[in-house]
Amino acid sequence: MFSRALPLLAGALYILYQVYAQDSFTAELMIESNISLEVSKIMAAFTSTNLEVTDGAGKSHTVTLEQSELVAECILIGEDTTCNCSEGYIWSDPVCYNFNCCREVDCMQNVSYTFPLCVPKDKVLVTGSITMGSNWEEAQFQVVKDEMNRLNALEQFNISEGSEATIADFQVALSIKPDFGMFEKIMESLKVKLSEDVMVIVEGLVEMDAPTEPVCYMSDPELTCTLMVDTEEASWRMNSTEREVDLDDGTVVKVNHECATAEHTSCVAVRLVAVTSIWAGTYTCEFIKGMITYKAKTFLDMAQLPDQISMSLAPLSAECPAASGGTTEVTVTAVIPPSPEDYEVWYSYNGEKKSNLQNTTLKDRLVYKFKVPIRCQKTIESQYVEITFKNHKNQTRTSKLEIPVIYAGEKFCEEDVVDGDFWPKTPFKATVINQTCPEGRTGYKSRTCEGPKWMDVFNHCVNEQLNNLLDEAEKFLKGQGPTSNIAKRIFQQLKNSSTFTSDTNENTADVDVSINILDRMALASERTVLAEDVLPEMVDAASQILNTTWTGVNDTVRHDMSAEYLEAVEMLVENIHINRSRSFKTDNLELKVCPNTDCNVTVFDIEVSLNRTTGRPKIMAVRNLTPKLDNNYPRTEKTEFLLSATLGLDRDENGTTERRSSDVEIYLEFPLQGDVQSPVCVFWNVTTKSWSDEGCNMFSRDANGTSCYCNHLTSFSVLMAKGDISTPELDVITSIGLGVSLCCLLIFLVIEFLVWSAVVKTNLSHFRHTAIVNIATFRLLADCSFLASSSPEILSDGMCLAFTVSKHLFYTAMFCWMLCLSVMLVHQLIFVFSPLRKRVFMFLSSVVGYLVPIIIVGSSYVYYRYTYKPYYDNKTCWLNFERLLEGSIHAFLIPVGIVIMINIFSMVVVIVTLVKTQTPDSGKADDKETAKSIIKVLVVLAPVFGVTWVIGFFLLILDHDNPVFPAANYTFTILNSFQGVFILFAGCIAEQKVREEVLKIITGKGKDDASKSLTSTAYTKDK
């Protein structure tokens, strides 16, 4: 009796059943038959019949046989058995390890009841290295060979000496996915028998789910690796044409370790956000368990587009012929990095598509050069050229280049040569780009024409090493190679490339790039843990950046650079992990890390005391940075030092972080610098990028320095003022005075409106009341503008300019009407018998009071606008002061000074006239009356003549450390903030007619009483 057993193995027989959806399952079916029965006939019976099967839960399903294949065959003849696997299959691990039937040989045992019996062949590659304490011997090679022969489906085994005599490298090729438990047991046995270090890498066991087709540019591809065994670590690596790097969380890379399932207990996935060309390459996932590393890799292809498109113009501007119309020609060059993508490329002119382009190869770049005819008919919008690249997935990327065109008859800047660079004729308000940089530098230079004057050259040609380092920092931030070792190398290279010793435009461009590198690394430190050994390199590099004054750029750019520098360095110091107390000192930075207790340290002679509850205090003093930061405190001097205090995260041995304390108190004592009167304790607000004193107070000051107390952590400094330029008391006085003045001015104008017809019966009274009403009106408008601009930091530049013009105009108009009033009064006193006619006064006073202020303000604004000098200061919303006789403030001070001198002269004339009217033999009583009259003149006329403003001129002259200065400052503030009160007194209360008319309105007296009063007044006057 002989029979044949025909097992059908998983992966060859598919049984499908319908529950809610169609699922595929594999099963193994064994058929026992005599030798005469054909397998095909048996399977035909199954194929034509639905099968009823029961799942593990006891539920029945109707299934259909989809596909079948013979995977093994056993022939049993009496007690003899011969089994073999079909082609493409090999004995499973249970057969190999239980019956010693391994590899592709016939098995002479009855294994037909083993499941699984035969499994499909697969490729698994095992590589490893073994490091011995001494040189290898033959017996040790044999141990390795014997252990490897225990592996099922061994196809190939090689072992050889490694790079050193104590190292052996081996390679094992398997044609089956081995059982994890048995494989790890054999590797562990090898390690025990050799008593040496064994490192093993296995490829072919990790299952990877990744895109098989090229992904789109700027898409978000995801790759997932799974393994059916628990592991200790999981990670991703990427190998591009440039290098192999680790991948971790960044702005592009998002690694997910939370994707495991019950079947695949180890999982790691990576999602790439908005991929560009640099992300095409080979991706490798790794799982580590003890000495074994399981890995898989795949190539991620993508439809690429150029990440960088550099466009240039020759000549740098297009000059049209003298006659309007026609065209002129320019040559445009576009350069992109090399790419395997076969782009379709074309250019457009003013949005109109033109011809396709072909490239030429220049070193490691692709170059597209084409000529464009430029129309010389003037257009409202700028003319431009675009170049467009399209990949095989029909995605496009376009770069635009505006073309400066000089039209016939338009303003332009003449040709110029600066430092060997040629700048062609350029139209008004246009910026030309020159991409010619010295050897070893890359970037561009730009220059703007303000017609006919050229602005300064903006140099952004940077050191190529620094530019490459910036690219590396960008990749670090995105998630390529964000490790502590890579960060240390970046800071080392930054230190070596940023040895600045002079203030040239090129050095300032390099400083800007260096700060950008710090900024990228600081942002990356929020996600990547940087080890302690990174800190010294970072401190050295950051210190060198401050060696120069950064004068190659304007104030706005320098302020932005310094603010970005401070924020980046502070973030790096806070985030770099430090295990113990340390200190670092360079020329411009000194950093001390306190122990896990209260912190009392001295850095650059600044004494710091910090009380805290959690977190590790890090105290850093910075030299030569505060002069580069914006100073929003007027008339204060910046000190040399800035102090930054942060609390880093505490991490225990397990990497667990401890929360920072938010309840802190810090005391700082800054050394005395210079002869100062009023130090201000401030901190740098990173949100508004300005100094603020919120939460900081000066609690003591002596000959040694200034002590500050703050209830929060950030960067601190002391601003030094040479006097009490602004104190809380003065601020309160100003606010109260202006509020009271506004009310008094409104009351005065209402009273004038009510009594106008009654008090302007004569030309003299008409002149006087007209002038004083205008004075009050313009003072009211000026005060409203002053209050509206009292917080310049929240105003836009446009609003700040508007309030500056308003205050300049209204205050100037007020003084002009004061001049009209004083001149009119003096004329009446001197030319008693030649009074002014009403028409003449109204005409002259209108010219002086309305037209002259407009001319002064308008001409000064136009002058400063077209001489490219600042008309106003956006920190104060007031006119700009540079130095004596320089700055727009003199367009206010000079007219006001002239008016005040004339008005003082007028007051002297009035006083002299009063004195002369007294008889020579008058008695003491008459002298007293004269004195009273003089005092009355001073009290009444001084405010309406603006004489009190003369104190402001004395404040400009006085040194701030003069003991008279505080008294003069308070006097000026009180007299001028309450000027509306004095105007109300001089215009209403001190004038009898107005008092009487107001009293009549209040008491309700009739016309008869009013007539009598007027008659009596007229009689008295005539008499």
Side-chain angles (χ1 to χ4, degrees):
M1 173 73 64
F2 58 89
S3 63
R4 178 176 293 178
L6 305 173
L8 302 177
L9 188 64
L13 176 66
Y14 291 87
I15 298 176
L16 303 179
Y17 72 88
Q18 297 292 331
V19 184
Y20 295 101
Q22 190 179 60
D23 297 316
S24 297
F25 291 87
T26 62
E28 185 177 289
L29 176 64
M30 187 180 70
I31 303 173
E32 293 185 356
S33 67
N34 59 39
I35 198 168
S36 62
L37 186 60
E38 293 293 336
V39 174
S40 59
K41 294 181 180 180
I42 298 174
M43 298 311 301
F46 282 107
T47 305
S48 59
T49 307
N50 289 334
L51 303 178
E52 293 291 331
V53 298
T54 304
D55 62 20
K59 187 176 181 180
S60 297
H61 304 278
T62 301
V63 298
T64 303
L65 186 64
E66 178 84 1
Q67 179 185 350
S68 62
E69 184 178 359
L70 180 66
V71 297
E73 184 177 28
C74 290
I75 301 176
L76 284 68
I77 303 175
E79 298 297 327
D80 297 329
T81 302
T82 302
C83 295
N84 59 72
C85 294
S86 300
E87 186 177 356
Y89 289 86
I90 197 168
W91 298 115
S92 66
D93 281 344
V95 173
C96 177
Y97 297 125
N98 293 327
F99 297 96
N100 200 27
C101 292
C102 306
R103 303 180 181 84
E104 295 183 76
V105 297
D106 291 344
C107 185
M108 311 310 277
Q109 300 185 56
N110 186 3
V111 295
S112 58
Y113 290 96
T114 305
F115 178 82
L117 184 60
C118 295
V119 294
K121 284 186 177 181
D122 210 338
K123 290 184 179 180
V124 175
L125 179 63
V126 181
T127 59
S129 64
I130 305 172
T131 303
M132 301 289 289
S134 58
N135 293 346
W136 277 79
E137 299 178 359
E138 186 61 31
Q140 294 165 330
F141 283 113
Q142 188 61 43
V143 171
V144 178
K145 183 175 181 181
D146 291 343
E147 289 298 323
M148 294 305 159
N149 280 328
R150 294 172 57 192
L151 291 169
N152 183 26
L154 179 66
E155 285 188 350
Q156 185 180 358
F157 170 72
N158 292 314
I159 186 169
S160 59
E161 288 188 1
S163 57
E164 299 178 12
T166 59
I167 299 177
D169 297 327
F170 64 88
Q171 300 86 32
V172 176
L174 305 176
S175 55
I176 187 178
K177 291 184 177 180
D179 176 76
F180 286 101
M182 181 56 69
F183 178 79
E184 292 172 0
K185 182 178 179 181
I186 292 173
M187 295 299 109
E188 186 63 34
S189 174
L190 177 63
K191 180 178 180 180
V192 172
K193 288 181 179 180
L194 295 177
S195 300
E196 301 295 347
D197 291 334
V198 180
M199 301 300 297
V200 180
I201 298 174
V202 183
E203 296 182 63
L205 296 182
V206 176
E207 298 179 22
M208 178 181 284
D209 181 17
T212 57
E213 298 291 331
V215 300
C216 291
Y217 189 83
M218 297 301 290
S219 62
D220 302 339
E222 187 168 355
L223 298 83
T224 304
C225 285
T226 56
L227 188 65
M228 292 189 295
V229 65
D230 290 336
T231 54
E232 299 159 2
E233 297 179 31
S235 62
W236 279 96
R237 294 178 65 81
M238 175 195 171
N239 193 345
S240 64
T241 55
E242 299 177 356
R243 58 177 182 169
E244 185 177 27
V245 294
D246 294 322
L247 298 180
D248 209 338
D249 283 341
T251 57
V252 174
V253 177
K254 309 296 179 184
V255 178
N256 178 20
H257 294 273
E258 307 297 327
C259 54
T261 62
E263 182 180 6
H264 298 87
T265 54
S266 292
C267 178
V268 62
V270 60
R271 183 170 64 92
L272 307 176
V273 180
V275 291
T276 57
S277 300
I278 66 170
W279 296 96
T282 300
Y283 288 76
T284 303
C285 62
E286 294 182 349
F287 296 94
I288 299 177
K289 184 178 183 181
M291 61 182 172
I292 303 175
T293 299
Y294 301 96
K295 64 191 300 185
K297 59 184 177 182
T298 188
F299 182 78
L300 181 65
D301 196 6
M302 73 173 58
Q304 298 188 20
L305 286 172
D307 296 335
Q308 297 176 346
I309 305 174
S310 177
M311 299 183 69
S312 60
L313 194 66
L316 298 178
S317 62
E319 183 176 4
C320 289
S324 60
T327 62
T328 186
E329 193 175 69
V330 296
T331 300
V332 179
T333 303
V335 181
I336 65 170
S339 172
E341 186 78 32
D342 185 15
Y343 295 121
E344 180 184 349
V345 186
W346 67 88
Y347 83 90
S348 303
Y349 171 56
N350 291 341
E352 180 182 351
K353 183 177 179 180
K354 299 295 183 179
S355 61
N356 288 354
L357 304 172
Q358 299 297 324
N359 70 74
T360 58
T361 303
L362 179 64
K363 294 183 179 180
D364 57 346
R365 293 289 185 268
L366 299 180
V367 180
Y368 298 82
K369 184 176 289 188
F370 52 98
K371 294 184 177 181
V372 182
I374 304 300
R375 290 190 288 268
C376 287
Q377 184 177 358
K378 186 174 181 181
T379 59
I380 298 177
E381 301 294 334
S382 299
Q383 299 200 50
Y384 63 91
V385 172
E386 293 177 314
I387 186 169
T388 303
F389 295 82
K390 184 167 75 171
N391 61 25
H392 69 274
K393 286 187 176 287
N394 294 323
Q395 294 179 286
T396 60
R397 184 177 176 90
T398 300
S399 180
K400 180 179 178 180
L401 176 65
E402 291 190 355
I403 302 175
V405 180
I406 304 176
Y407 299 103
E410 294 293 320
K411 290 194 296 183
F412 62 89
C413 293
E414 293 285 356
E415 295 178 355
D416 193 16
V417 177
V418 178
D419 297 331
D421 294 322
F422 174 73
W423 300 96
K425 287 183 180 180
T426 301
F428 176 60
K429 289 293 184 182
T431 299
V432 288
I433 306 296
N434 187 341
Q435 295 187 335
T436 303
C437 290
E439 185 177 355
R441 306 185 76 82
T442 183
Y444 63 91
K445 299 176 184 177
S446 65
R447 200 176 186 194
T448 300
C449 169
E450 287 292 341
K453 180 180 178 182
W454 281 104
M455 302 298 288
D456 292 335
V457 176
F458 177 76
N459 189 333
H460 203 268
C461 289
V462 300
N463 183 291
E464 285 186 347
Q465 293 181 349
L466 279 174
N467 193 62
N468 294 335
L469 195 59
L470 177 60
D471 290 340
E472 192 168 349
E474 290 277 8
K475 293 177 180 177
F476 190 98
L477 175 61
K478 292 175 180 177
Q480 283 192 15
T483 64
S484 188
N485 288 334
I486 297 295
K488 182 179 179 180
R489 180 168 59 81
I490 290 175
F491 286 122
Q492 285 175 337
Q493 294 180 5
L494 178 60
K495 178 180 67 174
N496 296 334
S497 303
S498 57
T499 53
F500 309 118
T501 57
S502 60
D503 277 313
T504 64
N505 288 346
E506 288 183 347
N507 277 349
T508 305
D510 289 345
V511 167
D512 188 32
V513 173
S514 300
I515 293 173
N516 288 336
I517 293 172
L518 289 178
D519 177 64
R520 303 304 187 272
M521 299 304 294
L523 293 174
S525 70
E526 295 283 282
R527 301 181 180 90
T528 303
V529 177
L530 302 182
E532 189 170 348
D533 60 349
V534 173
L535 196 58
E537 306 295 339
M538 188 279 294
V539 171
D540 287 341
S543 175
Q544 290 183 170
I545 295 174
L546 297 175
N547 283 340
T548 58
T549 57
W550 310 353
T551 56
V553 292
N554 58 41
D555 288 344
T556 302
V557 175
R558 183 165 50 254
H559 294 160
D560 290 340
M561 288 169 57
S562 57
E564 183 179 357
Y565 172 91
L566 177 58
E567 190 171 355
V569 172
E570 193 173 59
M571 188 183 301
L572 283 166
V573 169
E574 181 179 1
N575 291 334
I576 292 178
H577 175 50
I578 298 179
N579 289 317
R580 64 185 188 277
S581 302
R582 297 196 62 181
S583 62
F584 309 90
K585 187 173 183 178
T586 61
D587 291 340
N588 296 308
L589 268 74
E590 183 175 4
L591 171 65
K592 289 189 177 180
V593 182
C594 299
N596 294 326
T597 57
D598 289 345
C599 185
N600 297 281
V601 296
T602 300
V603 284
F604 280 153
D605 297 327
I606 304 173
E607 297 181 8
V608 182
S609 177
L610 174 64
N611 300 324
R612 63 167 203 99
T613 56
T614 60
R616 185 179 292 276
K618 301 175 183 178
I619 310 299
M620 176 180 65
V622 186
R623 191 201 307 267
N624 294 332
L625 180 62
T626 48
K628 303 174 177 68
L629 289 167
D630 188 17
N631 185 8
N632 54 305
Y633 277 68
R635 298 188 296 277
T636 59
E637 297 178 0
K638 304 171 184 178
T639 54
E640 182 181 6
F641 297 111
L642 175 147
L643 186 130
S644 170
T646 60
L647 285 178
L649 291 177
D650 282 340
R651 291 181 173 89
D652 57 25
E653 296 178 353
N654 299 321
T656 304
T657 58
E658 182 182 355
R659 293 176 61 86
R660 300 182 182 95
S661 172
S662 59
D663 184 17
V664 294
E665 293 180 346
I666 184 169
Y667 296 85
L668 310 100
E669 184 168 343
F670 289 86
L672 183 66
Q673 294 186 9
D675 184 17
V676 296
Q677 295 294 321
S678 302
V680 183
C681 297
V682 292
F683 77 93
W684 184 255
N685 188 321
V686 296
T687 302
T688 62
K689 297 188 186 318
S690 61
W691 294 108
S692 172
D693 58 3
E694 183 177 354
C696 291
N697 295 286
M698 183 188 71
F699 68 93
S700 68
R701 179 175 176 271
D702 53 31
N704 296 321
T706 303
S707 297
C708 301
Y709 160 78
C710 297
N711 58 14
H712 55 78
L713 296 183
T714 181
S715 298
F716 305 96
S717 187
V718 172
L719 302 178
M720 299 298 185
K722 288 189 175 181
D724 296 327
I725 58 157
S726 179
T727 66
E729 294 80 7
L730 284 177
D731 291 340
V732 171
I733 292 171
T734 301
S735 299
I736 295 175
L738 289 178
V740 173
S741 290
L742 289 176
C743 294
C744 292
L745 290 171
L746 288 172
I747 293 172
F748 170 77
L749 292 175
V750 171
I751 292 174
E752 284 291 323
F753 174 77
L754 295 175
V755 303
W756 181 264
S757 60
V759 298
V760 293
K761 299 296 184 180
T762 65
N763 284 347
L764 181 60
S765 62
H766 185 275
F767 298 160
R768 182 176 182 277
H769 283 275
T770 298
I772 200 168
V773 164
N774 277 279
I775 292 170
T777 302
F778 284 115
R779 176 68 198 218
L780 177 67
L781 294 174
D783 286 349
C784 290
S785 300
F786 182 89
L787 289 175
S789 59
S790 59
S791 299
E793 66 277 2
I794 65 174
L795 298 176
S796 65
D797 287 343
M799 291 296 294
C800 193
L801 173 60
F803 284 127
T804 302
V805 172
S806 298
K807 289 185 286 186
H808 190 189
L809 177 63
F810 296 148
Y811 280 123
T812 305
M814 178 187 73
F815 277 98
C816 287
W817 277 102
M818 289 177 177
L819 176 63
C820 293
L821 180 61
S822 67
V823 171
M824 180 272 298
L825 181 60
V826 171
H827 183 275
Q828 291 299 109
L829 287 173
I830 297 176
F831 304 101
V832 179
F833 300 104
S834 300
L836 276 173
R837 288 181 296 171
K838 185 175 182 181
R839 181 177 299 177
V840 173
F841 174 79
M842 293 305 299
F843 173 77
L844 294 177
S845 61
S846 296
V847 171
V848 175
Y850 299 137
L851 187 58
V852 169
I854 293 175
I855 292 174
I856 292 173
V857 175
S859 59
S860 61
Y861 174 76
V862 170
Y863 171 78
Y864 285 96
R865 174 68 177 83
Y866 287 97
T867 56
Y868 309 105
K869 296 179 180 179
Y871 170 72
Y872 73 104
D873 186 351
N874 58 8
K875 300 171 187 175
T876 59
C877 289
W878 183 231
L879 301 174
N880 187 55
F881 175 80
E882 296 178 12
R883 60 182 65 88
L884 186 63
L885 297 180
E886 288 190 23
S888 59
I889 188 66
H890 295 89
F892 176 74
L893 294 179
I894 293 175
V896 168
I898 293 173
V899 170
I900 290 176
M901 286 190 295
I902 294 174
N903 289 356
I904 291 176
F905 172 77
S906 300
M907 287 185 61
V908 171
V909 170
V910 172
I911 293 172
V912 171
T913 302
L914 285 175
V915 172
K916 286 184 176 181
T917 56
Q918 302 299 320
T919 58
D921 57 347
S922 59
K924 292 184 177 180
D926 294 330
D927 291 340
K928 289 182 180 180
E929 288 300 322
T930 302
K932 289 181 181 179
S933 299
I934 294 173
I935 294 173
K936 182 179 179 181
V937 167
L938 292 174
V939 172
V940 174
L941 294 184
V944 295
F945 280 7
V947 177
T948 54
W949 283 70
V950 76
I951 303 174
F953 286 88
F954 284 107
L955 289 174
L956 293 175
I957 299 172
L958 286 175
D959 192 11
H960 288 211
D961 57 0
N962 190 308
V964 179
F965 183 86
N969 198 8
Y970 274 85
T971 303
F972 175 79
T973 302
I974 294 172
L975 291 178
N976 289 285
S977 62
F978 285 92
Q979 189 172 16
V981 179
F982 299 130
I983 292 175
L984 175 64
F985 175 80
C988 293
I989 299 175
E991 187 170 348
Q992 183 179 359
K993 286 185 179 180
V994 175
R995 290 201 311 268
E996 291 175 352
E997 290 301 321
V998 171
L999 185 61
K1000 290 176 184 178
I1001 293 172
I1002 295 174
T1003 58
K1005 288 186 177 181
K1007 289 185 177 180
D1008 294 338
D1009 293 336
S1011 300
K1012 291 179 182 179
S1013 179
L1014 289 173
T1015 304
S1016 174
T1017 303
Y1019 174 76
T1020 305
K1021 179 72 178 180
D1022 295 338
K1023 183 173 68 175

